[in-house]
């Protein structure tokens, strides 16, 4: 199948003329440098410390205004990002009780309002996400934070600098989970009238950026925190302006007309002309996958492994890569080929239409007697690449083997919401698969949360009701393994099972393209969903 790149523009609308955006940023280029970013999200991420809008929300609002107990090292482009101390300088498991962890807080950290960080602030922050009967419980923060730390059952301040966290089961992945939970301050919530809605415009964290203004549909303006505790990461820019520009060509128009300096996910068709016009295009491999997560519980057509395998054999990944101008790696599982968890795959899906049709015939379907079902997709969003064009291409490929797909199209944040509801919830409108690309940075977020039988919604992201004693047993071994090398071997075993069982429709791995004005200097694109904006300068 040949997929022409101009297909990416179908239904995308026309480029906006300079000045046509619903805001004027001419005054935003303040002396000292202002970085203006066009995000793929349709709204500015929430400022409550556990933002919405997926990993893009965390990238632009989670690790800017806030710090977490554990950080990611985002300073390198030539190696995967790894965990490093954040607000906690160290963490350890109790040798006598591997369900209990202690975190030692960094001394001398202050919130943006000058108040010192204490262990009680950490307790308050975890209450806000996990303690439903707390007066400061925040349902929105819980919606996005609870699924990151689903095994946490207790937390307490042992003294002003030490926190203890206990898990329901042994969970060696806890440090990854707490890297998603921004630490907020009770005094700031009380100053906002003990109301999280009011707090949004007055958010206070300990991060390298301070919130100046917040309009969820228009923009957020952040300013540098000159007193940030890590002197090496005091921002070089004076201001950071975040703009929600969900439509790809709107982002391109904003960049060309100098209304922004930087855009996420430029469409492939625009990349050659942007390069020719002198804009910088930055890419890097990172732990990303673009898949359909398939429902496998009773009642779903994807419960039949023959159908799942046939669908994977029908995908022409090379054609998809050509359509995207090379801005992807061919889907090889939940991790790109060569990742430690996917270094020597036992099985690799190829494009084989005859084999796919044979499997469909065995399952009782053909192009003349097709399987008909619905898939939930979005128009844009964090890591979604070019979702409309890509999904239409997949739809065409599957039709050739007797799978006819109807799309239910949602706004990105709505798609995330129904993902947390589970495939049988009324909000899902009868879909049996969901297209959500996601970060695969640690054992839990990469695989475990989709497979463990006790993590069906609302407990976790096992959206499609997958259940297997064999998988549960292997996951239990992974969570109980604290030796990194041994855990890597177990993760490779788990990944190989996922690929062989075709539990997802594996399509692509994004290369995380960004386009920016040549004035933007100092950016290092980490091999991560998150990025550090503090070294960035914007020249005149």
């Amino acid at each position: 199948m040949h997929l022409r790149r101009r297909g990416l523009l179908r239904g995308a609308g026309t480029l906006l003329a300079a000045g046509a955006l619903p805001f004027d940023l001419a005054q935003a280029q303040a002396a000292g440098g202002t970085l203006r970013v066009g995000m793929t999200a349709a709204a500015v991420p929430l400022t409550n410390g556990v933002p919405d809008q997926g990993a893009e929300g965390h990238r632009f609002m989670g690790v800017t205004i806030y710090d977490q107990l554990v950080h990611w090292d985002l300073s390198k482009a030539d190696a995967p990002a790894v965990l490093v101390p954040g607000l906690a300088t160290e963490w350890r498991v109790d040798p006598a009780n591997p369900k209990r962890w202690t975190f030692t807080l960094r001394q001398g950290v202050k919130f943006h309002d000058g108040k010192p960080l204490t262990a009680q602030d950490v307790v308050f922050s975890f209450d806000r996400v996990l303690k439903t009967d707390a007066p400061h419980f925040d349902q929105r923060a819980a919606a996005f934070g609870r699924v990151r730390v689903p095994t946490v059952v207790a937390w307490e301040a042992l003294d002003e600098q030490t926190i203890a966290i206990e898990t329901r089961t042994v969970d060696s992945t806890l440090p990854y989970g707490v890297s998603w939970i921004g630490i907020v301050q009770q005094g700031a919530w009380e100053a906002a009238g003990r109301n999280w809605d009011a707090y949004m415009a007055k958010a206070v964290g300990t991060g390298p950026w301070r919130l100046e203004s917040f309009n969820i549909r228009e923009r957020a303006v952040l300013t540098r925190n000159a007193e940030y505790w890590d002197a090496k990461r005091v921002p070089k820019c004076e201001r950071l302006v975040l703009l929600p520009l969900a439509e790809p060509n709107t982002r391109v128009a904003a960049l060309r007309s100098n209304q922004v300096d930087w855009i996420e996910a430029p469409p492939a068709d625009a990349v050659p002309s942007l390069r020719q016009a002198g804009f910088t295009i930055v890419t890097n491999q990172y732990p990303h996958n673009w898949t359909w997560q398939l429902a496998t519980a009773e009642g779903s057509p994807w419960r039949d492994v023959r159908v799942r395998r046939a669908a994977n054999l029908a995908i022409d990944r090379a054609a998809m890569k050509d359509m995207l101008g090379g801005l992807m790696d061919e889907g090889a599982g939940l991790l790109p080929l060569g990742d430690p968890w996917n270094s020597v795959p036992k099985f690799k899906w190829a494009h084989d239409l005859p084999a796919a049709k044979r499997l469909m015939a065995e399952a009782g379907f053909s192009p003349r007697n097709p399987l008909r079902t619905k898939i939930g997709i979005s128009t844009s969003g964090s890591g979604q690449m070019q979702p409309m064009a890509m999904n239409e291409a997949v739809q065409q490929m599957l039709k050739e083997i007797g799978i006819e797909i109807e799309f239910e199209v949602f706004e990105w944040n709505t798609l995330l919401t129904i993902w947390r509801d589970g495939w049988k919830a009324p909000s899902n409108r009868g879909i049996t698969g969901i297209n959500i690309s996601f970060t695969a940075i640690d054992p839990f977020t990469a695989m475990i949360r989709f497979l463990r039988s006790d993590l069906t919604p609302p407990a976790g992201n096992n959206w499609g009701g997958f259940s297997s004693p064999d998988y549960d047993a292997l996951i239990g071994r992974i969570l109980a393994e604290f030796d990194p090398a041994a855990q890597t071997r177990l993760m490779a075993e788990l990944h190989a099972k996922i690929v062989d069982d075709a539990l997802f429709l594996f399509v692509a791995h994004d290369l995380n393209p960004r386009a920016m004005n040549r004035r933007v200097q100092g950016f290092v694109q980490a091999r991560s969903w998150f990025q550090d904006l503090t070294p960035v300068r914007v020249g005149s």
Side-chain angles (χ1 to χ4, degrees):
M1 177 181 293
H2 180 63
L3 302 175
R4 288 174 289 185
R5 295 184 194 176
R6 66 171 177 264
L8 286 172
L9 299 177
R10 183 167 57 248
T14 57
L15 294 176
L16 294 182
L21 291 172
F23 39 76
D24 179 8
L25 297 179
Q27 296 180 351
Q29 284 288 30
T34 294
L35 175 63
R36 304 165 300 171
V37 176
M39 303 180 294
T40 69
V44 177
L46 299 178
T47 63
N48 60 359
V50 187
D52 59 351
Q53 305 294 346
E56 185 177 39
H58 196 65
R59 179 188 313 146
F60 289 118
M61 200 65 81
V63 298
T64 49
I65 298 175
Y66 295 96
D67 289 308
Q68 297 73 31
L69 291 175
V70 180
H71 282 182
W72 289 91
D73 180 359
L74 304 174
S75 64
K76 302 178 181 67
D78 58 356
V82 297
L83 293 180
V84 293
L87 292 181
T89 56
E90 59 180 356
W91 49 93
R92 62 174 65 89
V93 176
D94 185 342
N97 178 8
K99 298 179 186 179
R100 183 177 174 85
W101 296 69
T102 56
F103 292 78
T104 302
L105 292 187
R106 187 180 300 277
Q107 297 189 14
V109 176
K110 292 185 178 181
F111 284 93
H112 298 153
D113 61 4
K115 294 182 179 178
L117 170 74
T118 71
Q120 290 302 325
D121 296 312
V122 179
V123 171
F124 176 84
S125 300
F126 276 80
D127 284 352
R128 169 263 325 244
V129 172
L130 298 174
K131 190 172 173 30
T132 56
D133 60 349
H136 46 280
F137 177 71
D138 179 0
Q139 181 58 54
R140 284 171 297 194
F144 297 99
R146 184 181 289 143
V147 294
R148 305 297 184 182
V149 287
T151 62
V152 171
V153 292
W155 51 98
E156 63 175 327
L158 301 181
D159 55 46
E160 285 301 295
Q161 297 299 132
T162 313
I163 297 293
I165 298 179
E166 293 194 15
T167 56
R168 182 178 67 256
T169 58
V170 177
D171 185 357
S172 61
T173 71
L174 180 67
Y176 295 103
V178 300
S179 73
W180 292 87
I181 309 298
I183 303 305
V184 298
Q185 180 204 121
Q186 182 170 351
W189 172 72
E190 291 176 345
R194 301 169 65 89
N195 182 296
W196 286 113
D197 287 333
Y199 173 87
M200 292 290 185
K202 304 175 181 179
V204 173
T206 63
W209 301 89
R210 303 170 183 261
L211 182 67
E212 180 178 282
S213 64
F214 172 72
N215 184 318
I216 196 166
R217 292 298 172 190
E218 182 179 335
R219 64 175 174 173
V221 179
L222 283 59
T223 61
R224 72 193 293 263
N225 177 13
E227 290 78 41
Y228 186 55
W229 57 265
D230 186 350
K232 299 187 298 296
R233 294 189 59 241
V234 171
K236 302 299 188 293
C237 283
E238 292 295 328
R239 275 187 171 79
L240 170 62
V241 181
L242 303 175
L243 301 157
L245 302 176
E247 204 279 318
N249 286 325
T250 301
R251 294 195 294 276
V252 172
L255 183 64
R256 288 185 179 278
S257 61
N258 194 34
Q259 296 182 66
V260 297
D261 309 292
W262 163 320
I263 61 172
E264 300 283 284
D269 292 67
V271 167
S273 62
L274 286 171
R275 279 198 176 107
Q276 188 174 18
F279 293 99
T280 303
I281 307 295
V282 184
T283 64
N284 203 352
Q285 187 184 73
Y286 72 125
H288 168 280
N289 59 70
W290 196 95
T291 65
W292 287 1
Q293 185 178 352
L294 305 173
T296 57
E298 190 69 43
S300 171
W302 304 107
R303 187 173 178 84
D304 190 330
V305 68
R306 295 170 299 185
V307 173
R308 300 197 304 269
R309 287 175 172 165
N312 272 286
L313 289 167
I315 302 302
D316 189 342
R317 296 167 182 83
M320 185 74 78
K321 184 173 183 177
D322 180 66
M323 186 184 82
L324 292 172
L327 295 176
M328 62 162 269
D329 287 334
E330 295 183 25
L334 298 182
L335 282 302
L337 194 61
D339 185 275
W341 298 339
N342 191 19
S343 56
V344 186
K346 296 178 181 178
F347 185 83
K348 186 175 185 296
W349 292 105
H351 182 223
D352 189 338
L353 287 179
K357 289 179 178 178
R358 284 195 298 271
L359 284 169
M360 290 299 292
E362 290 176 15
F365 301 102
S366 70
R368 291 188 176 183
N369 176 39
L371 182 160
R372 293 184 172 90
T373 191
K374 295 199 298 184
I375 303 294
I377 69 173
S378 65
T379 54
S380 66
S382 171
Q384 292 295 84
M385 302 176 70
Q386 309 301 328
M388 295 304 295
M390 293 173 70
N391 276 301
E392 287 171 2
V394 171
Q395 181 185 48
Q396 184 179 349
M397 294 171 186
L398 295 183
K399 187 174 182 179
E400 293 189 47
I401 66 166
I403 301 177
E404 292 196 359
I405 298 298
E406 177 187 346
F407 292 128
E408 285 285 341
V409 183
F410 300 88
E411 183 270 330
W412 170 236
N413 221 40
T414 303
L415 193 70
L416 290 176
T417 298
I418 70 165
W419 190 38
R420 295 191 301 274
D421 293 341
W423 76 290
K424 288 191 174 181
S427 61
N428 279 248
R429 303 179 192 172
I431 63 176
T432 63
I434 193 166
N435 171 223
I436 290 182
S437 61
F438 54 84
T439 177
I441 55 178
D442 64 79
F444 179 77
T445 59
M447 300 182 226
I448 292 171
R449 59 178 171 155
F450 309 111
L451 304 169
R452 196 159 127 172
S453 58
D454 64 350
L455 292 180
T456 54
N461 293 124
N462 186 350
W463 172 86
F466 180 76
S467 180
S468 165
D470 290 345
Y471 276 80
D472 283 345
L474 179 53
I475 288 168
R477 292 169 61 198
I478 291 168
L479 292 175
E481 183 56 72
F482 290 86
D483 176 71
Q487 188 180 80
T488 293
R489 289 191 294 271
L490 291 171
M491 287 298 293
E493 181 181 343
L494 177 61
H495 187 267
K497 284 174 65 68
I498 293 168
V499 173
D500 186 46
D501 288 336
L503 295 181
F504 295 73
L505 185 65
F506 306 110
V507 179
H509 302 291
D510 193 7
L511 294 181
N512 208 12
R514 294 178 168 87
M516 54 192 71
N517 195 292
R518 283 179 295 181
R519 294 191 306 268
V520 177
Q521 302 168 358
F523 175 57
V524 176
Q525 180 144 312
R527 288 171 59 177
S528 170
W529 278 66
F530 316 129
Q531 302 295 329
D532 187 3
L533 303 182
T534 64
V536 177
R537 296 182 175 87
V538 180
S540 58

